[in-house]
Amino acid sequence: EYNGETYKELIGRTSEFLDEIVSRESGKILVVAHGMSLMAIISAINNLEIKNFWSRGLKPNVSLTMYNYNNGSFGEKLFYDTSHYE
């Protein structure tokens, strides 16, 4: 029997993590994440419904995704960029 975390729980935990970061830190912040965690971060930032969790797809490892944060909102700057190793 599998008793792992649900998508809803993962996104909730990720949202709390993002809230904590933006309330404590300023300037540039680097977050390193595995694919599933990255999808949860993207879902939380974009307020995606659970049914749309995979809507942006899962890219190869070592991709770069960047967001700007300003006045309570995130703006996508770079998404799943792999040009550094292509």
Side-chain angles (χ1 to χ4, degrees):
E1 181 176 317
Y2 179 73
N3 293 317
E5 192 172 36
T6 66
Y7 287 125
K8 185 176 181 178
E9 291 168 336
L10 175 61
I11 293 171
R13 183 169 54 85
T14 302
S15 293
E16 290 174 9
F17 167 72
L18 291 172
D19 290 344
E20 182 179 334
I21 285 176
V22 299
S23 70
R24 286 189 339 186
E25 304 295 334
S26 62
K28 294 181 181 182
I29 300 167
L30 172 67
V31 175
V32 179
H34 289 278
M36 185 68 101
S37 298
L38 178 58
M39 292 307 302
I41 290 168
I42 291 167
S43 293
I45 285 173
N46 293 292
N47 295 313
L48 295 178
E49 294 181 31
I50 300 295
K51 68 180 180 179
N52 296 322
F53 187 86
W54 293 106
S55 65
R56 305 236 19 216
L58 183 61
K59 287 289 187 179
N61 292 332
V62 197
S63 65
L64 301 174
T65 298
M66 295 172 55
Y67 284 87
N68 290 324
Y69 179 80
N70 193 10
N71 295 325
S73 66
F74 289 92
E76 194 171 278
K77 184 174 179 181
L78 188 65
F79 188 74
Y80 283 165
D81 180 66
T82 57
S83 63
H84 54 283
Y85 69 85
E86 291 178 347

Coordinates of all heavy atoms in Angstrom, one line a residue:
E1 N 0.8 -1.2 0.0 CA 0.0 0.0 0.0 C 0.9 1.2 0.0 O 1.9 1.3 0.7 CB -0.9 0.0 1.2 CG -1.8 1.2 1.3 CD -2.8 1.1 2.5 OE1 -3.3 0.0 2.7 OE2 -2.9 2.1 3.1
Y2 N 0.5 2.2 -0.8 CA 1.3 3.4 -0.9 C 0.6 4.5 -0.1 O -0.5 4.8 -0.2 CB 1.3 3.9 -2.4 CG 2.0 5.2 -2.6 CD1 3.4 5.2 -2.5 CD2 1.3 6.4 -2.8 CE1 4.1 6.4 -2.7 CE2 2.0 7.6 -3.0 CZ 3.4 7.6 -3.0 OH 4.1 8.7 -3.1
N3 N 1.4 5.1 0.8 CA 0.9 6.1 1.7 C 1.6 7.4 1.5 O 1.9 8.1 2.5 CB 1.0 5.7 3.2 CG 0.1 4.5 3.5 OD1 -1.1 4.5 3.1 ND2 0.6 3.5 4.2
G4 N 2.0 7.7 0.3 CA 2.7 8.9 0.0 C 1.8 10.2 0.0 O 0.6 10.1 0.3
E5 N 2.5 11.3 -0.2 CA 1.9 12.6 -0.2 C 1.0 12.7 -1.5 O 1.4 12.3 -2.5 CB 3.0 13.6 -0.2 CG 2.6 15.0 0.0 CD 3.9 15.9 0.2 OE1 4.9 15.6 -0.5 OE2 3.8 16.8 1.0
T6 N -0.2 13.3 -1.3 CA -1.0 13.6 -2.5 C -0.5 14.9 -3.2 O 0.3 15.6 -2.6 CB -2.5 13.8 -2.0 OG1 -2.6 15.0 -1.3 CG2 -3.0 12.7 -1.2
Y7 N -1.0 15.1 -4.4 CA -0.6 16.3 -5.1 C -1.1 17.5 -4.4 O -0.4 18.5 -4.3 CB -1.3 16.3 -6.5 CG -0.7 15.4 -7.5 CD1 -1.5 14.4 -8.2 CD2 0.7 15.4 -7.8 CE1 -0.9 13.5 -9.1 CE2 1.2 14.6 -8.8 CZ 0.4 13.6 -9.4 OH 1.0 12.8 -10.3
K8 N -2.3 17.5 -3.8 CA -2.8 18.6 -3.0 C -1.9 18.9 -1.8 O -1.6 20.0 -1.5 CB -4.2 18.3 -2.6 CG -4.9 19.4 -1.9 CD -6.3 19.1 -1.5 CE -7.0 20.3 -0.8 NZ -8.4 20.0 -0.5
E9 N -1.4 17.9 -1.1 CA -0.6 18.1 0.0 C 0.8 18.6 -0.4 O 1.4 19.5 0.2 CB -0.4 16.7 0.8 CG -1.6 16.3 1.5 CD -1.5 14.8 2.0 OE1 -0.7 14.0 1.4 OE2 -2.2 14.5 2.9
L10 N 1.3 18.1 -1.5 CA 2.6 18.6 -2.1 C 2.5 20.1 -2.5 O 3.4 20.8 -2.1 CB 3.0 17.7 -3.3 CG 4.2 18.2 -4.1 CD1 5.5 18.2 -3.2 CD2 4.5 17.3 -5.3
I11 N 1.4 20.4 -3.2 CA 1.3 21.8 -3.6 C 1.1 22.7 -2.3 O 1.6 23.8 -2.2 CB 0.1 22.0 -4.6 CG1 0.5 21.3 -5.9 CG2 -0.2 23.5 -4.8 CD1 -0.6 21.2 -6.9
G12 N 0.4 22.2 -1.3 CA 0.2 23.0 -0.1 C 1.5 23.2 0.6 O 1.8 24.3 1.1
R13 N 2.3 22.2 0.7 CA 3.6 22.3 1.4 C 4.5 23.2 0.6 O 5.2 24.1 1.1 CB 4.2 20.9 1.5 CG 5.6 20.9 2.2 CD 6.0 19.5 2.5 NE 6.0 18.6 1.4 CZ 7.1 18.4 0.6 NH1 8.1 19.2 0.8 NH2 7.0 17.6 -0.4
T14 N 4.5 23.1 -0.7 CA 5.3 24.0 -1.6 C 4.8 25.5 -1.5 O 5.7 26.4 -1.4 CB 5.1 23.6 -3.1 OG1 5.6 22.2 -3.1 CG2 6.0 24.4 -4.0
S15 N 3.5 25.7 -1.4 CA 3.0 27.1 -1.2 C 3.5 27.7 0.1 O 3.9 28.9 0.1 CB 1.5 27.1 -1.2 OG 1.0 26.7 -2.5
E16 N 3.5 26.9 1.2 CA 4.0 27.3 2.4 C 5.5 27.7 2.3 O 6.0 28.7 2.9 CB 3.8 26.3 3.5 CG 2.4 26.1 3.9 CD 2.1 24.9 4.9 OE1 3.1 24.4 5.4 OE2 1.0 24.6 5.1
F17 N 6.3 26.9 1.6 CA 7.7 27.1 1.4 C 7.9 28.4 0.7 O 8.7 29.2 1.1 CB 8.3 25.9 0.6 CG 9.6 26.2 0.0 CD1 10.7 26.2 0.8 CD2 9.8 26.3 -1.3 CE1 12.0 26.4 0.3 CE2 11.1 26.5 -1.9 CZ 12.2 26.6 -1.1
L18 N 7.1 28.7 -0.4 CA 7.3 29.9 -1.2 C 6.9 31.1 -0.3 O 7.6 32.1 -0.3 CB 6.4 29.9 -2.4 CG 6.8 28.9 -3.5 CD1 5.8 28.8 -4.6 CD2 8.2 29.3 -4.1
D19 N 5.8 31.0 0.5 CA 5.4 32.1 1.4 C 6.5 32.4 2.4 O 6.8 33.6 2.6 CB 4.1 31.7 2.1 CG 2.9 31.7 1.2 OD1 3.0 32.2 0.1 OD2 1.9 31.1 1.7
E20 N 7.2 31.4 2.9 CA 8.2 31.6 3.9 C 9.4 32.3 3.2 O 10.0 33.2 3.8 CB 8.7 30.2 4.4 CG 9.7 30.4 5.5 CD 10.1 29.0 6.1 OE1 9.3 28.1 6.1 OE2 11.3 29.0 6.6
I21 N 9.8 31.9 2.0 CA 10.9 32.5 1.3 C 10.7 33.9 1.1 O 11.5 34.8 1.4 CB 11.2 31.7 0.0 CG1 11.9 30.4 0.3 CG2 12.2 32.6 -0.9 CD1 12.2 29.6 -0.9
V22 N 9.6 34.3 0.5 CA 9.3 35.7 0.1 C 9.1 36.6 1.3 O 9.3 37.8 1.3 CB 8.2 35.8 -0.9 CG1 8.5 35.1 -2.2 CG2 6.8 35.4 -0.3
S23 N 8.7 36.0 2.5 CA 8.6 36.8 3.7 C 9.9 37.0 4.4 O 10.0 38.0 5.1 CB 7.5 36.2 4.6 OG 8.1 35.0 5.2
R24 N 10.9 36.1 4.2 CA 12.1 36.2 4.9 C 13.3 36.8 4.1 O 14.2 37.3 4.7 CB 12.6 34.8 5.4 CG 11.8 34.3 6.6 CD 12.4 33.0 7.1 NE 13.3 32.4 6.1 CZ 13.9 31.2 6.3 NH1 13.7 30.6 7.4 NH2 14.6 30.7 5.4
E25 N 13.2 36.5 2.8 CA 14.4 36.8 2.0 C 14.1 38.0 1.1 O 13.0 38.3 0.8 CB 14.8 35.6 1.2 CG 15.1 34.4 2.0 CD 16.3 34.5 2.9 OE1 17.2 35.3 2.6 OE2 16.3 33.7 3.9
S26 N 15.2 38.6 0.6 CA 15.1 39.6 -0.5 C 16.3 39.4 -1.4 O 17.2 38.7 -1.1 CB 15.1 41.0 0.1 OG 16.3 41.2 0.8
G27 N 16.2 40.0 -2.6 CA 17.2 39.8 -3.6 C 17.1 38.5 -4.3 O 16.0 38.0 -4.4
K28 N 18.2 38.0 -4.8 CA 18.1 36.8 -5.7 C 18.1 35.6 -4.8 O 18.9 35.5 -3.8 CB 19.3 36.8 -6.6 CG 19.2 37.9 -7.6 CD 20.4 37.8 -8.6 CE 20.3 39.0 -9.6 NZ 21.3 38.9 -10.6
I29 N 17.3 34.6 -5.1 CA 17.2 33.4 -4.3 C 17.3 32.2 -5.3 O 16.6 32.2 -6.4 CB 15.8 33.3 -3.6 CG1 15.7 34.5 -2.6 CG2 15.7 32.0 -2.9 CD1 14.3 34.7 -2.1
L30 N 18.1 31.2 -5.0 CA 18.2 30.0 -5.8 C 17.5 28.9 -5.1 O 17.7 28.6 -3.9 CB 19.7 29.7 -6.0 CG 20.0 28.3 -6.6 CD1 19.5 28.3 -8.1 CD2 21.5 28.0 -6.5
V31 N 16.6 28.2 -5.8 CA 15.9 27.0 -5.3 C 16.3 25.9 -6.2 O 16.1 26.0 -7.5 CB 14.4 27.2 -5.3 CG1 13.7 25.9 -4.8 CG2 14.0 28.4 -4.3
V32 N 16.8 24.8 -5.7 CA 17.2 23.6 -6.5 C 16.1 22.6 -6.1 O 15.9 22.3 -5.0 CB 18.6 23.1 -6.1 CG1 18.9 21.9 -6.9 CG2 19.6 24.3 -6.4
A33 N 15.5 22.0 -7.2 CA 14.5 21.1 -7.0 C 14.5 19.9 -8.0 O 14.9 20.1 -9.1 CB 13.1 21.8 -7.0
H34 N 13.9 18.8 -7.6 CA 13.7 17.7 -8.5 C 12.4 18.0 -9.3 O 11.7 18.9 -9.0 CB 13.5 16.4 -7.7 CG 14.7 15.9 -7.0 ND1 15.7 15.2 -7.7 CD2 15.2 16.0 -5.8 CE1 16.7 14.9 -6.9 NE2 16.4 15.4 -5.7
G35 N 12.2 17.2 -10.3 CA 11.1 17.5 -11.3 C 9.8 17.6 -10.6 O 9.0 18.5 -10.9
M36 N 9.4 16.7 -9.7 CA 8.1 16.7 -9.1 C 8.0 18.0 -8.2 O 6.9 18.6 -8.2 CB 7.8 15.5 -8.3 CG 6.5 15.4 -7.7 SD 5.2 15.2 -9.0 CE 4.9 13.4 -8.8
S37 N 9.0 18.3 -7.5 CA 9.0 19.5 -6.7 C 8.9 20.8 -7.5 O 8.2 21.7 -7.2 CB 10.2 19.6 -5.8 OG 10.3 18.5 -4.9
L38 N 9.6 20.8 -8.6 CA 9.5 21.9 -9.5 C 8.1 22.1 -10.1 O 7.6 23.2 -10.2 CB 10.5 21.8 -10.7 CG 10.5 22.9 -11.7 CD1 10.8 24.2 -11.1 CD2 11.5 22.6 -12.8
M39 N 7.5 21.0 -10.4 CA 6.1 21.0 -10.9 C 5.2 21.6 -9.9 O 4.3 22.3 -10.1 CB 5.6 19.7 -11.4 CG 6.3 19.1 -12.6 SD 6.3 20.3 -14.0 CE 4.5 20.5 -14.2
A40 N 5.4 21.2 -8.6 CA 4.6 21.7 -7.5 C 4.8 23.2 -7.3 O 3.9 24.0 -7.1 CB 4.9 21.0 -6.2
I41 N 6.1 23.7 -7.5 CA 6.4 25.1 -7.3 C 5.7 25.9 -8.5 O 5.0 26.9 -8.2 CB 7.9 25.4 -7.4 CG1 8.6 24.9 -6.1 CG2 8.2 26.8 -7.6 CD1 10.1 24.8 -6.2
I42 N 5.8 25.4 -9.7 CA 5.1 26.0 -10.8 C 3.6 26.0 -10.6 O 2.9 27.0 -10.9 CB 5.5 25.3 -12.1 CG1 7.0 25.6 -12.4 CG2 4.6 25.8 -13.3 CD1 7.6 24.8 -13.5
S43 N 3.1 24.9 -10.1 CA 1.6 24.8 -9.9 C 1.2 25.9 -8.8 O 0.2 26.5 -9.0 CB 1.2 23.4 -9.4 OG 1.4 22.5 -10.5
A44 N 2.0 26.0 -7.8 CA 1.6 26.9 -6.7 C 1.7 28.4 -7.2 O 0.8 29.2 -6.9 CB 2.6 26.7 -5.5
I45 N 2.8 28.7 -7.9 CA 3.0 30.0 -8.4 C 1.8 30.4 -9.4 O 1.4 31.6 -9.3 CB 4.3 30.2 -9.1 CG1 5.5 30.2 -8.1 CG2 4.4 31.4 -10.0 CD1 6.8 30.2 -8.6
N46 N 1.4 29.5 -10.2 CA 0.4 29.8 -11.2 C -1.0 29.4 -10.8 O -1.9 29.5 -11.6 CB 0.8 29.1 -12.5 CG 2.0 29.6 -13.1 OD1 2.0 30.8 -13.6 ND2 3.1 28.9 -13.1
N47 N -1.2 29.0 -9.5 CA -2.5 28.7 -9.0 C -3.2 27.6 -9.9 O -4.4 27.8 -10.2 CB -3.4 29.9 -8.8 CG -2.8 30.8 -7.7 OD1 -2.5 30.4 -6.7 ND2 -2.8 32.1 -8.1
L48 N -2.5 26.6 -10.3 CA -3.0 25.6 -11.2 C -3.9 24.7 -10.4 O -3.5 24.3 -9.2 CB -1.9 24.8 -11.9 CG -1.1 25.6 -12.9 CD1 0.0 24.6 -13.4 CD2 -1.9 26.1 -14.0
E49 N -5.0 24.2 -10.9 CA -5.8 23.2 -10.3 C -5.1 21.9 -10.4 O -4.2 21.7 -11.2 CB -7.1 23.1 -11.0 CG -8.0 24.3 -10.8 CD -9.4 24.2 -11.5 OE1 -9.8 23.0 -11.6 OE2 -9.9 25.2 -12.0
I50 N -5.4 21.0 -9.4 CA -4.7 19.7 -9.4 C -4.8 19.0 -10.8 O -3.8 18.4 -11.2 CB -5.4 18.8 -8.3 CG1 -5.2 19.4 -6.9 CG2 -4.8 17.4 -8.3 CD1 -3.8 19.6 -6.4
K51 N -5.9 19.1 -11.4 CA -6.1 18.4 -12.7 C -5.1 18.9 -13.8 O -4.9 18.3 -14.8 CB -7.5 18.5 -13.2 CG -8.0 19.9 -13.6 CD -9.4 19.9 -14.1 CE -9.8 21.3 -14.4 NZ -11.2 21.4 -14.9
N52 N -4.6 20.1 -13.6 CA -3.6 20.7 -14.5 C -2.2 20.6 -14.0 O -1.3 21.3 -14.6 CB -4.0 22.2 -14.7 CG -5.4 22.3 -15.4 OD1 -5.7 21.5 -16.2 ND2 -6.1 23.3 -15.0
F53 N -1.9 19.8 -13.0 CA -0.6 19.7 -12.5 C 0.5 19.4 -13.5 O 1.5 20.0 -13.5 CB -0.6 18.5 -11.4 CG 0.7 18.5 -10.6 CD1 0.9 19.2 -9.5 CD2 1.7 17.6 -11.0 CE1 2.1 19.2 -8.8 CE2 2.9 17.5 -10.3 CZ 3.1 18.3 -9.2
W54 N 0.2 18.6 -14.5 CA 1.2 18.2 -15.5 C 1.0 19.0 -16.8 O 1.7 18.7 -17.8 CB 1.2 16.7 -15.8 CG 1.6 15.9 -14.6 CD1 0.8 15.2 -13.8 CD2 2.9 15.7 -14.1 NE1 1.6 14.6 -12.8 CE2 2.9 14.9 -13.0 CE3 4.2 16.2 -14.6 CZ2 4.0 14.5 -12.3 CZ3 5.3 15.8 -13.9 CH2 5.2 15.0 -12.7
S55 N 0.2 20.0 -16.8 CA -0.1 20.7 -18.0 C 1.1 21.4 -18.7 O 1.1 21.5 -19.9 CB -1.2 21.8 -17.8 OG -0.7 22.8 -16.9
R56 N 2.1 21.7 -18.0 CA 3.3 22.3 -18.6 C 4.4 21.3 -18.9 O 5.4 21.7 -19.4 CB 3.8 23.4 -17.6 CG 2.7 24.4 -17.3 CD 2.9 25.8 -17.5 NE 3.8 26.4 -18.4 CZ 4.4 27.6 -18.1 NH1 4.2 28.2 -17.0 NH2 5.2 28.1 -19.0
G57 N 4.1 20.1 -18.6 CA 5.1 19.0 -19.0 C 6.2 18.9 -18.0 O 6.4 19.8 -17.2
L58 N 7.0 17.9 -18.2 CA 8.2 17.7 -17.3 C 9.4 17.6 -18.3 O 9.5 16.8 -19.2 CB 8.1 16.4 -16.5 CG 9.2 16.0 -15.6 CD1 9.3 17.1 -14.5 CD2 8.9 14.7 -14.9
K59 N 10.3 18.5 -18.1 CA 11.5 18.6 -19.0 C 12.6 17.8 -18.4 O 12.6 17.3 -17.3 CB 11.9 20.1 -19.1 CG 11.0 20.9 -20.0 CD 11.2 20.4 -21.4 CE 10.4 21.3 -22.4 NZ 10.5 21.0 -23.7
P60 N 13.7 17.7 -19.2 CA 14.9 16.9 -18.8 C 15.5 17.6 -17.5 O 15.3 18.7 -17.3 CB 15.8 17.0 -20.0 CG 15.0 17.4 -21.1 CD 13.8 18.1 -20.6
N61 N 16.3 16.8 -16.9 CA 17.0 17.3 -15.7 C 17.9 18.5 -16.1 O 18.3 18.6 -17.2 CB 17.9 16.2 -15.1 CG 17.1 15.1 -14.5 OD1 15.9 15.4 -14.0 ND2 17.6 13.9 -14.5
V62 N 18.2 19.3 -15.1 CA 19.1 20.4 -15.2 C 18.6 21.5 -16.1 O 19.3 22.3 -16.6 CB 20.6 20.0 -15.6 CG1 21.6 21.1 -15.3 CG2 21.0 18.7 -15.0
S63 N 17.3 21.6 -16.2 CA 16.7 22.8 -16.9 C 16.6 23.9 -15.9 O 16.7 23.8 -14.7 CB 15.3 22.4 -17.4 OG 14.4 22.2 -16.3
L64 N 16.5 25.1 -16.5 CA 16.5 26.3 -15.7 C 15.1 27.0 -15.8 O 14.6 27.2 -16.9 CB 17.5 27.4 -16.1 CG 19.0 26.9 -16.0 CD1 19.9 27.9 -16.7 CD2 19.4 26.6 -14.6
T65 N 14.5 27.3 -14.7 CA 13.2 28.0 -14.7 C 13.4 29.2 -13.7 O 13.9 29.0 -12.6 CB 12.1 27.1 -14.2 OG1 12.0 26.0 -15.1 CG2 10.8 27.8 -14.1
M66 N 13.1 30.4 -14.2 CA 13.3 31.6 -13.4 C 12.0 32.4 -13.3 O 11.3 32.5 -14.3 CB 14.4 32.4 -14.0 CG 15.7 31.8 -13.9 SD 17.0 32.7 -14.8 CE 17.0 34.3 -14.1
Y67 N 11.7 32.9 -12.1 CA 10.6 33.8 -11.9 C 11.1 35.1 -11.2 O 12.0 35.0 -10.4 CB 9.5 33.1 -11.0 CG 8.7 32.1 -11.7 CD1 9.1 30.8 -11.8 CD2 7.5 32.5 -12.3 CE1 8.3 29.9 -12.4 CE2 6.7 31.5 -12.9 CZ 7.1 30.2 -13.0 OH 6.4 29.3 -13.6
N68 N 10.5 36.2 -11.5 CA 10.7 37.4 -10.8 C 9.6 37.5 -9.8 O 8.4 37.1 -10.1 CB 10.6 38.6 -11.7 CG 11.9 38.7 -12.6 OD1 13.0 38.4 -12.2 ND2 11.6 39.2 -13.8
Y69 N 9.8 38.1 -8.6 CA 8.8 38.3 -7.6 C 8.8 39.7 -7.3 O 9.8 40.3 -6.9 CB 9.1 37.4 -6.3 CG 8.1 37.6 -5.3 CD1 6.9 37.0 -5.3 CD2 8.3 38.5 -4.2 CE1 5.9 37.1 -4.3 CE2 7.4 38.7 -3.2 CZ 6.2 38.0 -3.3 OH 5.2 38.1 -2.3
N70 N 7.6 40.3 -7.4 CA 7.5 41.8 -7.1 C 6.1 42.1 -6.6 O 5.1 41.7 -7.2 CB 7.8 42.6 -8.4 CG 8.0 44.0 -8.1 OD1 8.1 44.5 -7.0 ND2 8.0 44.8 -9.2
N71 N 6.0 42.7 -5.5 CA 4.7 43.1 -4.9 C 3.7 42.0 -4.8 O 2.5 42.2 -5.2 CB 4.1 44.3 -5.7 CG 5.0 45.6 -5.5 OD1 5.6 45.8 -4.5 ND2 5.1 46.3 -6.6
G72 N 4.1 40.9 -4.4 CA 3.1 39.8 -4.1 C 2.8 38.9 -5.3 O 2.0 38.0 -5.2
S73 N 3.5 39.1 -6.4 CA 3.2 38.2 -7.6 C 4.5 37.8 -8.3 O 5.5 38.5 -8.3 CB 2.2 38.9 -8.6 OG 2.9 40.0 -9.1
F74 N 4.4 36.6 -8.9 CA 5.5 36.1 -9.6 C 5.3 36.3 -11.1 O 4.2 36.2 -11.7 CB 5.6 34.5 -9.4 CG 6.0 34.2 -8.0 CD1 5.1 34.0 -7.0 CD2 7.3 34.0 -7.7 CE1 5.5 33.6 -5.8 CE2 7.7 33.6 -6.5 CZ 6.8 33.4 -5.5
G75 N 6.4 36.6 -11.8 CA 6.4 36.7 -13.3 C 7.4 35.8 -13.9 O 8.6 35.8 -13.5
E76 N 7.0 35.0 -14.8 CA 7.8 34.0 -15.4 C 8.9 34.7 -16.3 O 8.5 35.5 -17.2 CB 7.0 33.0 -16.2 CG 7.8 31.8 -16.6 CD 6.8 30.8 -17.3 OE1 6.2 30.0 -16.5 OE2 6.7 30.7 -18.5
K77 N 10.1 34.4 -16.1 CA 11.2 35.0 -16.8 C 11.9 33.9 -17.8 O 12.2 34.3 -18.9 CB 12.3 35.5 -15.9 CG 13.4 36.3 -16.5 CD 14.3 36.9 -15.5 CE 15.4 37.6 -16.2 NZ 16.3 38.2 -15.2
L78 N 12.0 32.7 -17.3 CA 12.6 31.7 -18.1 C 11.9 30.4 -17.7 O 11.7 30.1 -16.5 CB 14.1 31.6 -17.8 CG 15.0 30.7 -18.6 CD1 15.1 31.2 -20.0 CD2 16.4 30.7 -18.0
F79 N 11.6 29.5 -18.7 CA 10.9 28.3 -18.4 C 11.5 27.1 -19.0 O 11.6 27.0 -20.3 CB 9.4 28.4 -18.8 CG 8.6 27.3 -18.3 CD1 8.2 27.2 -17.0 CD2 8.2 26.3 -19.2 CE1 7.4 26.1 -16.6 CE2 7.4 25.3 -18.8 CZ 7.0 25.2 -17.5
Y80 N 12.0 26.2 -18.2 CA 12.5 24.9 -18.7 C 13.6 25.1 -19.8 O 13.7 24.3 -20.7 CB 11.5 24.0 -19.3 CG 10.6 23.3 -18.3 CD1 9.4 22.7 -18.7 CD2 10.9 23.2 -17.0 CE1 8.6 22.1 -17.8 CE2 10.1 22.5 -16.1 CZ 8.9 22.0 -16.5 OH 8.1 21.3 -15.6
D81 N 14.5 26.0 -19.6 CA 15.6 26.3 -20.5 C 16.7 25.3 -20.4 O 17.1 25.0 -19.3 CB 16.2 27.7 -20.3 CG 17.3 28.0 -21.2 OD1 17.0 28.1 -22.4 OD2 18.4 28.1 -20.8
T82 N 17.1 24.7 -21.5 CA 18.1 23.7 -21.5 C 19.3 24.1 -22.4 O 20.1 23.3 -22.8 CB 17.6 22.3 -21.9 OG1 17.0 22.4 -23.2 CG2 16.6 21.8 -20.9
S83 N 19.3 25.4 -22.8 CA 20.3 25.8 -23.8 C 21.7 25.7 -23.3 O 22.6 25.6 -24.1 CB 20.0 27.3 -24.2 OG 20.1 28.1 -23.1
H84 N 21.9 25.6 -22.0 CA 23.3 25.5 -21.5 C 23.9 24.2 -21.7 O 25.1 24.0 -21.6 CB 23.2 25.8 -20.0 CG 22.3 25.0 -19.2 ND1 20.9 25.3 -19.2 CD2 22.4 23.9 -18.4 CE1 20.3 24.4 -18.4 NE2 21.2 23.5 -17.9
Y85 N 23.2 23.2 -22.1 CA 23.8 21.9 -22.4 C 23.3 21.3 -23.7 O 23.7 20.2 -24.1 CB 23.6 20.9 -21.3 CG 22.2 20.4 -21.1 CD1 21.7 19.3 -21.8 CD2 21.4 20.9 -20.1 CE1 20.4 18.8 -21.6 CE2 20.1 20.5 -19.9 CZ 19.6 19.4 -20.6 OH 18.4 18.9 -20.4
E86 N 22.7 22.1 -24.6 CA 22.3 21.6 -25.9 C 23.4 21.8 -26.9 O 24.2 22.7 -26.8 CB 21.0 22.2 -26.3 CG 19.8 21.8 -25.5 CD 18.5 22.4 -25.9 OE1 18.5 23.5 -26.7 OE2 17.5 22.0 -25.5

